[in-house]
Amino acid sequence: MRGGFAAVCAFAGLAAALSCTGPEPFGAEPARNTSAVEIADVERALVPGDPVRSARAYLDARAGALGVGEEQDDFEVTSVRRGSDGRRYVRMRQLRAGIPVWGAEVAVRVSSERVWGVSGELAAELGTQDAPRPAIPREAALSLAGATRDAARVGEPLETLREDAELVWFVNDEGAVLAWYVEAYSQGQVETVVTRPRQIIDATTGDELLAFDAIAKVTKASGLGGNPRVPRRWVTALEVTPGCGGYALSSPRLETVDMGGRSTGSGRAVEGSPRCMPGRAANDAHGFAAVTLDMLADWMERESIDGEGAAIRSRVRYGDGYPGAFWDGRQVTYGDGGEAYFPLAGDLSVVAHEILHGFTEHHADLVFQGQAGALNESFSDVAGAAASFYADGAHDTEPRMQIGADIARRGGAPLRDLCEPARDGRSIDHVRDYEDGMFVHAASGVANRAFCLAARGLSGKTSATRDGVRRAARVWVEANAGFWTRTSDFEAGCRGVLGAAAELGYAPGDIQALADAWAEVGVRCDGKT
């Protein structure tokens, strides 16, 4: 029987080679058969105090209705994260004959006494699978993936610094295909190129079924604002500890190092007198990272990006005039900006944007392709805007609904504008303009404008206020943490926002304002036409 993805929503009441514009999509988007499944069951936890067993019982009771109740179907817990109000978000991926189904995963929201709901994607009615034996072994799959990446690249091959492959089922219009999901981290030897290619290789034919780049980078399209116009001094605001050469930019939750223009190595500690720490870029990266973590704690009730106090490591002065910034799965890296930009760490919205890519990786883990990739980028833009409002409690100004306005030379425009996405000349602001294969930063304008309109709606004004931004951002964070999954599209993004608002206890009028914001950009998920 042909398989297909079923979108689950149950709740209560960046080409293989990177250019200076960031990771372009490469490879075809996966074909999926989707059908919405909504179950509005809230019930007592079967095993109070045990979120994993309660989540499993909740799914087992509904497996038949969801089309995943056959003997070969199972679920594997991938993470359990603490949410607000003591809730746990239990993330599970679907297994078929003991092998993960790529992109089929759910998030179950459990408190000590209740299971509140489940969201995600499931591959339904896949049919009986024989004992899976890949014709192409793991090492051969890694070689094929590397050869495919090199063939698509102009210039010398990229050096692979780490790579891994996992056997998965890949579901498309033809059914379930046994495949290898290959993850790599590569870096150029001469030019400063960083990439996190992800590929799905057919385990029988060796064909590439899907490919995208998971590096989380700030786009570097055209000019931006400038630091000379934004003088800054950190006054007793940088977290430091004693080091070998004085005090170092380091604390239990933060570490910042200086790459000194290199793109390899671990970097050196930034040390100096506590009265005057050296290095503008290092100070900005360190100080803004602290602001971002403070916002997560104060506004979102989150302990760092993983909910468990993960330390943020930042690298500055990366490469020779590198004009970008990126999250690589372990740390945030900032270049000096080249001819067009000032150092990327000099803008709070950029720093928060990159750090919150780490939040997404620890929670929804949205793929960097298609509408899911656009949702990923938009979420980080939302974080950048929220951090800007959080840091300046004295003013409510929508110009801070922009990303990167402080780092451009020669009076350029911001990287992106959440309220006016089309201002940059390439971003879209309505789903009717979306096309498969679109650059994720450009497609992110749909969800960006939805957030701007949502913040205005929750502000009760024609412009967003600080409190309106806080309340809207809180919902977006909860949606990422407990509703969205790896392949969530715009509609699933909308459903997650409304579901999160309901579970947070937002008033019906506020939930309607959120639905109206998404409807304004062509995304309807509230059942209305």
Side-chain angles (χ1 to χ4, degrees):
M1 180 179 295
R2 177 179 295 180
F5 278 94
V8 179
C9 181
F11 54 86
L14 297 164
L18 300 182
S19 69
C20 67
T21 59
E24 295 286 353
F26 64 101
E29 295 200 31
R32 297 188 299 156
N33 299 320
T34 61
S35 58
V37 177
E38 295 192 9
I39 306 171
D41 292 343
V42 180
E43 61 183 35
R44 292 186 63 83
L46 180 66
V47 187
D50 190 332
V52 171
R53 291 177 63 187
S54 294
R56 277 189 169 278
Y58 187 86
L59 280 181
D60 288 344
R62 294 156 178 79
L66 295 174
V68 292
E70 300 180 7
E71 184 177 351
Q72 288 189 323
D73 289 314
D74 198 3
F75 290 93
E76 177 183 37
V77 176
T78 57
S79 69
V80 181
R81 304 289 186 195
R82 180 186 294 274
S84 60
D85 302 326
R87 293 181 188 173
R88 298 293 192 277
Y89 298 106
V90 181
R91 289 186 176 271
M92 294 186 278
R93 61 179 180 175
Q94 182 183 349
L95 304 180
R96 185 69 173 176
I99 293 176
V101 180
W102 189 85
E105 57 186 49
V106 293
V108 186
R109 300 175 297 286
V110 186
S111 64
S112 60
E113 298 294 332
R114 285 182 172 78
V115 179
W116 291 88
V118 58
S119 302
E121 301 271 345
L122 292 175
E125 301 178 351
L126 292 179
T128 302
Q129 308 293 338
D130 296 329
R133 290 190 178 87
I136 297 174
R138 176 181 180 277
E139 293 302 321
L142 290 172
S143 297
L144 283 169
T148 303
R149 293 195 301 268
D150 290 343
R153 173 172 165 70
V154 177
E156 65 178 82
L158 296 179
E159 177 186 1
T160 299
L161 302 182
R162 59 180 187 265
E163 61 183 351
D164 195 11
E166 180 182 35
L167 195 63
V168 300
W169 295 109
F170 181 71
V171 181
N172 56 23
D173 283 335
E174 304 304 317
V177 178
L178 194 63
W180 290 99
Y181 177 49
V182 178
E183 302 179 81
Y185 178 84
S186 300
Q187 182 170 300
Q189 290 76 51
V190 179
E191 56 187 322
T192 306
V193 175
V194 181
T195 177
R196 294 176 71 193
R198 301 291 185 263
Q199 296 157 278
I200 292 183
I201 304 296
D202 191 312
T204 300
T205 67
D207 294 339
E208 185 181 73
L209 304 177
L210 174 68
F212 59 95
D213 197 315
I215 199 73
K217 302 183 66 174
V218 166
T219 55
K220 301 165 290 294
S222 56
L224 314 175
N227 280 348
R229 299 201 308 268
V230 188
R232 180 181 302 112
R233 183 180 180 186
W234 296 95
V235 181
T236 61
L238 300 173
E239 298 179 13
V240 297
T241 55
C244 296
Y247 281 75
L249 289 177
S250 178
S251 74
R253 64 176 189 161
L254 300 169
E255 179 190 11
T256 302
V257 299
D258 190 329
M259 296 297 291
R262 298 182 298 276
S263 57
T264 58
S266 59
R268 64 173 179 81
V270 180
E271 297 181 330
S273 165
R275 293 185 177 181
C276 187
M277 295 297 295
R280 291 177 179 270
N283 290 343
D284 282 344
H286 201 72
F288 284 147
V291 172
T292 301
L293 293 185
D294 290 344
M295 177 196 68
L296 281 174
D298 296 343
W299 276 13
M300 314 302 173
E301 298 182 22
R302 300 279 168 179
E303 190 176 357
S304 191
I305 57 176
D306 65 347
E308 299 174 0
I312 303 301
R313 188 173 195 269
S314 303
R315 303 189 299 175
V316 301
R317 298 180 63 212
Y318 173 86
D320 183 10
Y322 183 65
F326 59 88
W327 163 264
D328 69 10
R330 300 180 179 181
Q331 59 198 351
V332 186
T333 299
Y334 305 96
D336 276 346
E339 296 181 359
Y341 312 104
F342 290 96
L344 275 291
D347 191 302
L348 171 58
S349 66
V350 173
V351 172
H353 174 108
E354 297 303 336
I355 291 175
L356 269 291
H357 273 306
F359 183 95
T360 296
E361 188 159 325
H362 280 290
H363 294 88
D365 197 23
L366 294 157
V367 299
F368 229 70
Q369 184 189 43
Q371 291 189 12
L375 199 60
N376 187 328
E377 269 302 309
S378 175
F379 177 78
S380 278
D381 282 351
V382 165
S388 296
F389 274 81
Y390 170 82
D392 186 0
H395 301 93
D396 289 321
T397 58
E398 282 202 352
R400 283 182 294 126
M401 281 277 203
Q402 297 172 343
I403 306 301
D406 289 351
I407 55 173
R409 299 179 186 270
R410 296 186 294 275
L415 282 164
R416 284 179 296 282
D417 188 314
L418 279 72
C419 295
E420 299 181 52
R423 178 180 175 184
D424 63 14
R426 62 173 184 165
S427 294
I428 62 174
D429 57 13
H430 196 281
V431 73
R432 64 171 170 261
D433 299 318
Y434 176 80
E435 298 177 358
D436 287 346
M438 179 175 284
F439 185 39
V440 295
H441 289 86
S444 69
V446 173
N448 277 353
R449 179 154 174 77
F451 176 81
C452 172
L453 295 173
R456 290 175 178 174
L458 296 182
S459 300
K461 298 182 178 181
T462 57
S463 61
T465 65
R466 187 172 187 259
D467 188 63
V469 170
R470 176 189 64 80
R471 298 182 66 225
R474 175 71 184 275
V475 172
W476 254 250
V477 165
E478 291 295 323
N480 190 321
F483 288 80
W484 302 342
T485 55
R486 178 175 291 187
T487 54
S488 290
D489 56 13
F490 289 144
E491 185 176 343
C494 172
R495 288 198 306 268
V497 165
L498 301 193
E503 291 194 3
L504 287 170
Y506 280 39
D510 290 337
I511 296 174
Q512 187 59 53
L514 295 170
D516 291 345
W518 282 97
E520 184 72 18
V521 298
V523 180
R524 291 190 176 276
C525 64
D526 58 355
K528 298 182 180 181
T529 58

